Every structure is written in structure tokens, then in C-alpha cells.
């Protein structure tokens, strides 16, 4: 994409950034939409299944509680010792139980307990049928004769029940006249009452209206057709009463081990149905929920559609916001480009004025600073060139043919030696070497080794001139010899030390170098009279002002060899090395003076260190 933008017709950074941003947002957004459409189908189906399973969990819990309440009533009657004792005495028919009073007492106690049980949980009809024909109920026998239960086809199957096993009777027509109008069907659970010998002495039957279950279906589900199906695939209970006792169409979906609700999608002609099943825990009945798939995903699809619409709107809103911000962010760059074009045309007075804490703001500040620096450097170069031309003119005016001068000095030295004056001959030889190194060299810079050799001849000349000899001590690192420096940077410092520090008397002058990572520390130190604080402060101020490149009045030494002062040395060193060069003076009265120069090392110099 970078090459495409470079080869495009867009000529500005703003346009390229805008197009790149739009492409980087639009392409992923299109891919996201395509993937979203592909994945939404599976996500919607999964969510529909999950919602149906959650609804089935609620229905299953409520139906389980309802049916469990019926089982609890049978359990209570079967295991309650008081009720069982009374029932056994009624069945026994012994002399004590045939007594009318005792029989009335046992019957009244059982009926009272049955009446109390009727108010626990949902209303249920409890029937106890003993083998001797005695019946005990919590309802009026005028309403229904309980012995008619023995005529039901399922009653004979109770003989095979053992222990706490129960027999569940599906939906049958309601036998209680007062409930028949509103509750056409009833559901029952039956259990046997046995003696210790396992002989059956009675039966307990708990009956509940089917509408109790169908009300749960209507209250906990929305848009689903929920039904209760027995193990044979017959509908026991449904929110649509006309379906009761009819076969369930999708019986093959019922699983014997399906205690955990599961959802499947089946096709009924052109329509797809979402079928959710769950097996009850205490019999082979199943809860089934059937719903058209389109109805099941209606709300979910609506949510996904709204989210999708929101994403589209958000995309365009943020795209517009991005373009606006892009224009705001690139405005300083446009300003910098215009200023750069103006500078290219030769206008160095223009400035961008771009400021800020970010990279562009710093770039604008540095760009303006660079223009200021260029302008100052042009001024410095102009001043330097003017001074250089002036110095060259002075040198041309004072130039002497060096070969003529050297020949004359050698002739004088030979004549003095023949006259028996070796000290004078030595002095002339040193002067000849000193002059040869100074006036016969055209280079502005020499190596530190050559500068020290020149300094040695100068000290030899001064020792021959003075009454007392000065000792020159060199502590120079070998690695520093190759470093280039301007000519005559040590001689003026040593000359000041001889004249002002030692007062042309005996003493020691130390020239020392210390190699550092980025600097060469070059120092000249004497053990003379030192300087007062006022004079030291004045010298420090002059050294600090040496970077102005303006010649300081009174800077030149009077009567010296080169006529170059300490401040002039600092000025020439800054011309060659820039602001990275530093020169400081340290002195105390009667403790000598030390001049330190910090010379920055160039890349080629570092490789030799």
C-alpha cells in the first residue's frame, strides 16, 4: 500500500494520510461485515438454542416441584407409622378394631391428617383403598366413589409395584364433577401399602388436575408450545387442551437419558422448528417445547440488526471525525512545508511559528532554531573570512623569504662556533629551527607532537636569554601526539607562565594531557606567584567572551615572541572545534596557575585512541 500511495497522484502528506487512514479503516470494516454476516447465523442459532434451554430449565423445575409434591404425599402416607398403624388395625378386623369406638377413632385420625395434607402445596385429591373395601379420602364420597378406581385398566398393574415404587397415570378424564368443567383431565400417582410380609393391604392414590401443569406452561414460556409426553409418546399435558392424549409427532427426538435439556432444529415442510426436550427425573415422561425457528430468533435477530446498524453509523461518524482530526494534525506540517519552500527561495527571515509538546511541535521549534543558527553561522563565517583575509594581508606585508633567512642564520651560527661561543651557536640553532617550523608551514593546523617540539625550542631560547633556567616537564600521553591543533596554542600559555607566573626566574612548567572518552584534556601549569581572585575573575570573563570572535583590545602580549595572548588562543580553538571546546583558568596566590583546555575528539581521532 505504501508503494501504491507513493505512485499515486496525491502530492501532499495530508491527502496520502487521509487515503491511507480511510483504506485502513474501510478494508477491515468490510471484512468485519462479511465475517459478521457469516458468523451471525451460527451465533443466532446458538443463542436461540440457549434461550430455549434456559426456558425449559425453568419449566422443568416447576413441573418437577409439582409432581414431587404428589410423591411426597404418597411417601408420607406410606412411611408414617401413625397412619400405617391405624390402617393396619382397620384391615386386621380383630376384636379390638371392630369396636365401633376404636374404629371411629382410627378413621377420624386418618381423615384429619388427610385433610391437613390437602392444604400443603397444590390442591390434591388423596384416596386410600384398603383390601377389605374400606376407603379413606380427603374429599366427599358423594362426589366420587373411590372404589371405581379399581375398575381402571391401570389399577391391576399396581400389583407389580414393590417398596416405594410408584405408578404414574397419564391424563384421564376428570372424575370429580365439580372440577370437570374447568379441568377436563387429571393426573394421578399410585402406590401400594404392604405389610412386613410384603402382602398388599391397601393402595394410596394422589390425583391432581392437569391444568396445574398447563398453567405452568402458559406462565413460564412465551411463543412456545410446551407439552408433557409420556414414555409411549402420548401427550399428557399441553397448553392446547385438544392435543392431550394424542401422539407426539417427533417422538424419535425423545431420549431416555436426556435429563439435561437439549435443543434440535427439525424441518416440517418449508418451516423449521426448534424442538427442546428434557426428561423428568422420577419417571419416563418428557417435557417438550416446540417453536417456529423464525419466532425463536426474532428478538435476537432484531438485536443483531440494531448492533449492525449502530456499527455502520459509528463507522461513518468516526471516519468523518478522523478526517477532521487528520486535517488538524497535518496543518502544522503544511505550514512547515510552506516555510521550507520560502527558505529554498533564499528567504532566511521567515519562521514557521509551529509550537507544541508533540513531535511536530518540537520539529517546528527545531526548524526555526536551525534557521536562527544558520543565520548566525553565516554572520560568523562572514566575520571569520574578513579577519582571515586581514591576517593574510598582514602576513604578505611582513613576509620574508624563509630560505634567505635560514641561510643567513646558519652562516651566523657557523661563524659564532668558529669564534668559540657554543652557547650563542646553540641559541641561533634553536631560533633557526623555531622559525623554520613557524614561517615555512602553510597549514593552519599541526599535530600536538609538532606543537610540543616547537614549544621545546622556544623554552630553550628563553633559558639562554634568562639568567635563571626554567625546567619544562612534559607528561603527554603517546595517543595524544597525532591530534591536530592550531599552531601556537601552547607557546602563548608558556610565555605567560614565564613572564607573569615565574617573573622570568627559575621554576617548573608542566605540560600535561589526559585522554578521555570524548575529550583531550590539555593543561599548562606553573609553580609561580599565582593570581589574585580579582585578576582570575577578569581572565575567566575574557575567556568566556572569546567566542564572540571579536578581537579583545589589549589581548596581545607586549614583547612576546608571537604576539598572541591567552584569549586569542581560546578564540582560535573555538573557531576550529566549535562550542564543544572549553578553556578554564585555576590559580591561587603563591600556589601557581593552571590553564586547562578541553579539546573535543573528532571521529578519526577516536579511532586512534
Amino acid at each position: 500500500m505504501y508503494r501504491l500511495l507513493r505512485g499515486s497522484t496525491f502530492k501532499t502528506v495530508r491527502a496520502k494520510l487521509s487515503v491511507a487512514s480511510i483504506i485502513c479503516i474501510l478494508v477491515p470494516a468490510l471484512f468485519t461485515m462479511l465475517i459478521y454476516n457469516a458468523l451471525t447465523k451460527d451465533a443466532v442459532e446458538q443463542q436461540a438454542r440457549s434461550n430455549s434451554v434456559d426456558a425449559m430449565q425453568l419449566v422443568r423445575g416447576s413441573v418437577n416441584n409439582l409432581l414431587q409434591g404428589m410423591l411426597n404425599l404418597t411417601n408420607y402416607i406410606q412411611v408414617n407409622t401413625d397412619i400405617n398403624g391405624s390402617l393396619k388395625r382397620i384391615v386386621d378386623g380383630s376384636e379390638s378394631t371392630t369396636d365401633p369406638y376404636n374404629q371411629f377413632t382410627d378413621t377420624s385420625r386418618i381423615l384429619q391428617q388427610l385433610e391437613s395434607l390437602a392444604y400443603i402445596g397444590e390442591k390434591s385429591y388423596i384416596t386410600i383403598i384398603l383390601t377389605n373395601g374400606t376407603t379413606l379420602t380427603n374429599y366427599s364420597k358423594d362426589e366420587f366413589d373411590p372404589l371405581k378406581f379399581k375398575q381402571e385398566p391401570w389399577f391391576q398393574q399396581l400389583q407389580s409395584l414393590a417398596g416405594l415404587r410408584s405408578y404414574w397415570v397419564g391424563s384421564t378424564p376428570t372424575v370429580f364433577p365439580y372440577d370437570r368443567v374447568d379441568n377436563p383431565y387429571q393426573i394421578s400417582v399410585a402406590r401400594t401399602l404392604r405389610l412386613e410380609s410384603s402382602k398388599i393391604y391397601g393402595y394410596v392414590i394422589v390425583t391432581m388436575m392437569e391444568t396445574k401443569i398447563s398453567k405452568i406452561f402458559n406462565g413460564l414460556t412465551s411463543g412456545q408450545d410446551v407439552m408433557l409426553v409420556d414414555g409411549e409418546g402420548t401427550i399428557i399435558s399441553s397448553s392446547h387442551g385438544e392435543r392431550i392424549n394424542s401422539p407426539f409427532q417427533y417422538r424419535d427426538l425423545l431420549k431416555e437419558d436426556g435429563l439435561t435439556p437439549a435443543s434440535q432444529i427439525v424441518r416440517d415442510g418449508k418451516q423449521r422448528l426448534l424442538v427442546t426436550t428434557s426428561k423428568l427425573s422420577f419417571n419416563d415422561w418428557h417435557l417438550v417445547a416446540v417453536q417456529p425457528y423464525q419466532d425463536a430468533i426474532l428478538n435476537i435477530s432484531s438485536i443483531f440488526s440494531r448492533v449492525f446498524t449502530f456499527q455502520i453509523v459509528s463507522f461513518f461518524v468516526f471516519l468523518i471525525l478522523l478526517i477532521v482530526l487528520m486535517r488538524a494534525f497535518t496543518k502544522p506540517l503544511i505550514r512547515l512545508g510552506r516555510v521550507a519552500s520560502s527558505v529554498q527561495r533564499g528567504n532566511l527571515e521567515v519562521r514557521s511559528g509551529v509550537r507544541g509538546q508533540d513531535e511536530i511541535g518540537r520539529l517546528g521549534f527545531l526548524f526555526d532554531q536551525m534557521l536562527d543558527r544558520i543565520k548566525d553561522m553565516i554572520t560568523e563565517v562572514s566575520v571569520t573570512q574578513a579577519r582571515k583575509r586581514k591576517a593574510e594581508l598582514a602576513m604578505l606585508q611582513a613576509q620574508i623569504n624563509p630560505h634567505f633567512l635560514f641561510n643567513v642564520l646558519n652562516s651566523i651560527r657557523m661563524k659564532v662556533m668558529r669564534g668559540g661561543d657554543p652557547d650563542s651557536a646553540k641559541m641561533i640553532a634553536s631560533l633557526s629551527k623555531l622559525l623554520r617550523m613557524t614561517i615555512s608551514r602553510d597549514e593552519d593546523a599541526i599535530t600536538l607532537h609538532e606543537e610540543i617540539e616547537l614549544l621545546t625550542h622556544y623554552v630553550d631560547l628563553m633559558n639562554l636569554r634568562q639568567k635563571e633556567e626554567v625546567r619544562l616537564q612534559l607528561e603527554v600521553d603517546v595517543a595524544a601526539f597525532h591530534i591536530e591543533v592550531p599552531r601556537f596554542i601552547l607557546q602563548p600559555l608558556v610565555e605567560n607562565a614565564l613572564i607573569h607566573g615565574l617573573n622570568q626566574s627559575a621554576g617548573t612548567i608542566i605540560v600535561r594531557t589526559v585522554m578521555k572518552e570524548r575529550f583531550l584534556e590539555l593543561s599548562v601549569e606553573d609553580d609561580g606567584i599565582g593570581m589574585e581572585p580579582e585578576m582570575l575573575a577578569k581572565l575567566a570573563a575574557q575567556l568566556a567572551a572569546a567566542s564572540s570572535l571579536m578581537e579583545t583590545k589589549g589581548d596581545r602580549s607586549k614583547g612576546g615572541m608571537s604576539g598572541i595572548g591567552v584569549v586569542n588562543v581560546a578564540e582560535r580553538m573555538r573557531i576550529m572545534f566549535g562550542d564543544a571546546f572549553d578553556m578554564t583558568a585555576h590559580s591561587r596566590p603563591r600556589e601557581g596557575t593552571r590553564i586547562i583546555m578541553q579539546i573535543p575528539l573528532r571521529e578519526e581521532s577516536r579511532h586512534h585512541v
Side-chain angles (χ1 to χ4, degrees):
M1 186 177 70
Y2 175 72
R3 292 181 178 179
L4 180 63
L5 289 175
R6 286 192 61 184
S8 66
T9 57
F10 301 108
K11 301 302 182 182
T12 64
V13 175
R14 174 182 292 175
K16 291 180 179 179
L17 286 177
S18 300
V19 172
S21 301
I22 293 173
I23 292 175
C24 291
I25 293 177
L26 187 59
V27 172
L30 291 176
F31 275 110
T32 301
M33 292 177 188
L34 293 176
I35 296 173
Y36 175 86
N37 290 332
L39 297 180
T40 296
K41 180 179 179 181
D42 295 335
V44 168
E45 180 177 324
Q46 186 65 31
Q47 188 62 43
R49 289 172 180 264
S50 177
N51 292 345
S52 183
V53 168
D54 292 341
M56 178 59 73
Q57 292 278 23
L58 294 176
V59 173
R60 183 171 178 267
S62 298
V63 173
N64 267 339
N65 291 336
L66 195 62
L67 299 182
Q68 186 64 49
M70 297 173 65
L71 281 178
N72 291 339
L73 293 176
T74 61
N75 291 337
Y76 182 81
I77 295 172
Q78 191 172 22
V79 302
N80 187 278
T81 55
D82 187 21
I83 294 178
N84 274 270
S86 299
L87 292 175
K88 289 176 183 179
R89 285 194 294 270
I90 295 174
V91 173
D92 185 33
S94 61
E95 186 174 333
S96 59
T97 57
T98 55
D99 180 68
Y101 177 76
N102 291 335
Q103 188 175 15
F104 175 78
T105 303
D106 289 336
T107 302
S108 298
R109 186 183 302 113
I110 294 173
L111 291 176
Q112 286 178 357
Q113 294 196 45
L114 293 181
E115 288 292 336
S116 63
L117 291 175
Y119 294 102
I120 298 176
E122 295 291 340
K123 180 182 179 182
S124 300
Y125 296 94
I126 303 174
T127 303
I128 298 176
I129 302 175
L130 302 179
T131 53
N132 62 358
T134 304
T135 59
L136 298 154
T137 66
N138 65 342
Y139 55 88
S140 174
K141 295 178 184 179
D142 295 334
E143 186 178 348
F144 173 70
D145 184 6
L147 292 177
K148 289 183 178 181
F149 277 125
K150 299 179 71 175
Q151 300 173 8
E152 296 290 335
W154 51 265
F155 193 83
Q156 298 302 322
Q157 299 185 37
L158 301 181
Q159 304 297 323
S160 61
L161 297 178
L164 297 178
R165 292 185 60 190
S166 303
Y167 183 85
W168 288 90
V169 182
S171 291
T172 57
T174 302
V175 297
F176 305 101
Y178 294 109
D179 291 322
R180 191 175 298 158
V181 176
D182 297 326
N183 306 283
Y185 295 97
Q186 63 184 27
I187 295 175
S188 303
V189 60
R191 188 176 288 181
T192 59
L193 300 174
R194 296 177 181 269
L195 299 172
E196 287 76 2
S197 61
S198 297
K199 180 181 178 181
I200 296 175
Y201 72 89
Y203 307 90
V204 57
I205 302 170
V206 178
T207 303
M208 184 180 63
M209 297 299 104
E210 177 273 335
T211 53
K212 299 292 183 182
I213 299 177
S214 61
K215 286 181 180 179
I216 295 176
F217 297 162
N218 294 327
L220 295 180
T221 60
S222 177
Q224 290 181 312
D225 183 11
V226 186
M227 59 197 76
L228 182 63
V229 182
D230 64 11
E232 300 298 326
T234 302
I235 299 175
I236 299 172
S237 178
S238 172
S239 54
H240 302 283
E242 67 276 5
R243 296 183 181 178
I244 295 176
N245 289 329
S246 62
F248 178 55
Q249 183 178 359
Y250 306 104
R251 180 186 172 189
D252 296 340
L253 299 179
L254 303 180
K255 298 179 181 179
E256 292 298 327
D257 57 346
L259 292 178
T260 302
S263 292
Q264 302 180 59
I265 297 178
V266 298
R267 184 170 292 279
D268 183 15
K270 295 182 178 180
Q271 186 180 24
R272 299 174 68 194
L273 299 177
L274 179 63
V275 181
T276 306
T277 61
S278 177
K279 187 175 180 295
L280 299 182
S281 58
F282 35 77
N283 55 24
D284 59 352
W285 294 358
H286 288 78
L287 283 169
V288 181
V290 181
Q291 185 179 18
Y293 181 71
Q294 291 301 323
D295 295 344
I297 67 172
L298 181 61
N299 293 333
I300 304 174
S301 298
S302 176
I303 293 173
F304 277 104
S305 298
R306 287 195 293 269
V307 171
F308 182 76
T309 303
F310 176 76
Q311 288 180 337
I312 294 295
V313 173
S314 299
F315 167 74
F316 283 105
V317 170
F318 283 111
L319 182 61
I320 295 172
L321 180 61
L322 176 64
I323 294 175
V324 173
L325 291 177
M326 193 70 66
R327 292 182 62 85
F329 292 155
T330 55
K331 186 176 180 180
L333 289 176
I334 302 299
R335 170 66 179 169
L336 284 173
R338 292 173 181 170
V339 172
S341 299
S342 181
V343 172
Q344 184 184 20
R345 292 191 295 269
N347 184 8
L348 295 180
E349 301 297 330
V350 66
R351 297 294 183 268
S352 67
V354 176
R355 298 293 183 269
Q357 300 299 320
D358 56 1
E359 291 81 358
I360 298 178
R362 290 194 294 272
L363 178 62
F365 172 75
L366 294 176
F367 185 77
D368 291 348
Q369 195 177 50
M370 180 186 68
L371 292 178
D372 294 337
R373 181 60 179 163
I374 290 175
K375 186 177 179 181
D376 294 341
M377 289 178 66
I378 291 175
T379 303
E380 290 179 8
V381 169
S382 300
V383 173
T384 303
Q385 291 296 327
R387 296 185 61 197
K388 188 175 181 180
R389 285 193 298 270
K390 183 178 180 181
E392 289 174 351
L393 180 61
M395 287 182 64
L396 289 173
Q397 293 172 349
Q399 190 173 15
I400 302 175
N401 189 332
H403 295 287
F404 170 77
L405 182 62
F406 297 152
N407 291 335
V408 171
L409 287 175
N410 281 329
S411 299
I412 296 173
R413 182 176 65 85
M414 296 298 296
K415 186 174 182 179
V416 170
M417 286 189 65
R418 284 194 299 268
D421 190 355
D423 291 337
S424 297
K426 181 180 178 182
M427 185 175 181
I428 295 172
S430 296
L431 177 61
S432 177
K433 292 179 181 180
L434 184 62
L435 291 175
R436 186 182 299 274
M437 294 184 64
T438 55
I439 69 175
S440 66
R441 297 290 293 271
D442 295 331
E443 298 89 347
D444 292 332
I446 60 175
T447 62
L448 185 61
H449 178 270
E450 293 174 316
E451 178 72 12
I452 291 176
E453 184 179 357
L454 186 150
L455 180 66
T456 304
H457 291 304
Y458 171 75
V459 173
D460 290 342
L461 284 173
M462 295 303 293
N463 282 334
L464 291 173
R465 178 183 175 187
Q466 297 179 164
K467 296 180 180 180
E468 296 180 283
E469 186 173 333
V470 173
R471 187 168 68 91
L472 178 64
Q473 181 177 334
L474 300 177
E475 298 180 5
V476 181
D477 193 330
V478 177
F481 278 134
H482 73 282
I483 297 175
E484 290 189 346
V485 296
R487 289 190 293 173
F488 285 105
I489 62 167
L490 292 178
Q491 183 272 333
L493 305 182
V494 173
E495 185 175 9
N496 275 329
L498 287 169
I499 298 173
H500 302 293
L502 300 176
N503 286 327
Q504 297 184 342
S505 59
T508 301
I509 298 175
I510 303 174
V511 177
R512 181 182 294 112
T513 64
V514 178
M515 295 297 297
K516 298 184 178 180
E517 182 178 359
R518 296 181 178 273
F519 290 90
L520 167 66
E521 183 178 288
L522 178 59
S523 62
V524 176
E525 181 179 354
D526 65 66
D527 56 357
I529 61 174
M531 288 187 287
E532 295 296 332
E534 296 80 5
M535 185 178 297
L536 181 62
K538 181 180 179 181
L539 177 59
Q542 292 176 342
L543 292 177
S547 59
S548 65
L549 300 179
M550 298 301 294
E551 186 174 357
T552 306
K553 186 177 180 180
D555 182 43
R556 295 186 175 273
S557 302
K558 301 298 182 180
M561 172 198 151
S562 62
I564 299 175
V566 176
V567 177
N568 186 272
V569 171
E571 178 183 327
R572 290 189 297 119
M573 291 294 285
R574 282 201 175 91
I575 291 176
M576 182 171 183
F577 295 103
D579 292 336
F581 170 79
D582 185 46
M583 186 173 183
T584 56
H586 304 271
S587 180
R588 288 184 179 180
R590 294 178 299 281
E591 292 186 10
T593 302
R594 185 183 185 192
I595 304 295
I596 301 175
M597 293 183 286
Q598 298 284 348
I599 303 175
L601 296 178
R602 296 173 178 173
E603 291 296 330
E604 60 271 15
S605 301
R606 294 184 195 175
H607 296 319
H608 292 85
V609 178

